[in-house]
Amino acid sequence: MDDIKFIIEKLKKSIDNLEIKAELNDIGKVIAFNDGVVLIDGLNEVQSMEILVVKKEKLNIKLLALNLEESLIGAVCLNNFDLLQHNDIVYRTKQVASIGVDERLLGRVINPLGDFLDNLSPIEFTNFYPIERSAPSVTERSPVSVPLHTGIKIIDSLIPIGRGQRELILGDRQTGKTSIALDVILNQKQDVFETPVCIYVAIGQKLSKIKRFYEILKKEGALDYTIIVATSSEDYPTLLYLAPYVGCALGEYFMDQGKDVLVIYDDLTKHAWAWREISLLLKRPVGREAYPGDIFYIHSRLLERAAKLNKGGSLTALPICETQLGDISAYIPTNLISITDGQIYLDNGLFKSNFRPAINIGLSVSRVGSKAQTKIIKKITGKMKLSLAQYRELESFAQLSTELPQEMHRILLRGKIILELLKQDNLHPLSFEKLAILMYAVQNGYFDDFNLQDIRLVESKLIDYLENDCSSLLAQIREVKDLTDDIEIAIKNALQNFFTFLTINNEKNIA
Ligand code: ATP
Ligand code: MG
């Protein structure tokens, strides 16, 4: 009798301790699928952005849970969509989507799933970062204080960007948006501050354009510090949707190590389209312009992750946005303008009239970057803004009046020269020390005697002269970064030498 009691007790105990491995909540069933979107019954406790798996004989199908409703889960397929069948069993992994992170990713091209697209050997990852993460809190942040020199004259002098800032680049199709991003990356190689890790996120771009971008980076020696996260127009919208989060997570890995990072999202308009497509397939309610109601939230959540941390490290975000017929008051552009710390607006009219980069100075702003400008650029270009403002005011007035006082002529001439000198070919970023000397020369009238059509020729000769004959002055500016008396005298001497040389060789008033 005792024996039986003992056995019953033992059985009771083992029943109590019994662990049920596969809970009912952990498996579900595919009940519908279409265009990469899957509806699953069951899986009551799944988290948002959790990876789910359908096990097939040879391959597994990975899904990403996005729409969590009480009765149905809406997920998107990440791979092998064509293998999916009705009634397939779906398993939870209890892991949110993450990306392998490693120093060795520098110079590589990956897709948002971490697959390598560059035919080089794969990397075994040991460290993973979640692709969705909340942004650093207010107490973890410090003010933007170090410039991110872009090498683009207009931006560095008038719309400066700081490390940790979010600056939107927006404009119509084919107005030079990607070219600006590329120039910014190229310029980091020659910059005086620590070279940031650059991450270029291509969202639904043409494969030929991504290839060209890669080739230029390689040729110019900028690939060593750059990672490309590529999705093309042929990819599923899911991949396009995930790309910026993956780029940001990679950036956070380097930022957490105290490094500066620059992430470019090219472009968030296509990201919004991808999210709209997925949301419509998931049958989520639609709002303005048929975008889902959370489109503002998903972009602000992404861009809030840009930060300058007080423990060191920063993540600068340059999102790109495409406008239609210059309409910056459309839904996505206004959202992004209000989320970011400023915008660089590229104007189709300027582009066509050959004012390139076609930045509309009046409509572009940088709300935090000027605090991070180097003292020398700030001192020299502070006056330039005033000269341009005076020029604009007089320009329309001058068209009406034929006789203008001498002073007004001088202001108009100076304005025209400045605008001429703000033109710049792409793939030719200019370092800040050369920019400082160039702008000093304009402000002090060294260019005033030349014909307008010769200005850029003189500029290129001046740059050559600075590179060949003034290396110690350039080094001094790089070190001090301020317009001290010594540096000002040295700049004056250099300019006098150069312009006298030009006169002697009869190159003044050439045309
Ligand atoms: P898309 O809308 O197709 O993405 P985009 O706005 O990114 O276009 P880009 O591809 O950067 O524009 O540039 C369009 C064309 O303009 C390219 O052929 C490029 O070489 C040229 N371009 C861009 N910037 C300049 C510049 N500063 N000077 C001369 N040409 C330029
Ligand atoms: Mg582009």
Side-chain angles (χ1 to χ4, degrees), residues 174 177-179 200 205 209 266-267 270 320:
Q174 289 289 301
K177 302 182 295 296
T178 306
S179 300
Y200 175 69
Q205 297 285 329
K209 285 192 178 176
D266 192 4
D267 60 73
K270 293 196 188 70
I320 294 180

Side-chain angles (χ1 to χ4, degrees), residues 49 64 66 76 78 97 112-113 131 201 229 231 237-247 271 274 278:
M49 298 290 263
L64 178 73
L66 283 179
V76 286
L78 297 176
L113 302 177
I131 65 170
V201 183
V229 180
T231 58
T238 322
L239 286 198
L240 273 59
Y241 169 69
L242 290 179
Y245 303 104
V246 168
H271 182 247
I278 295 169

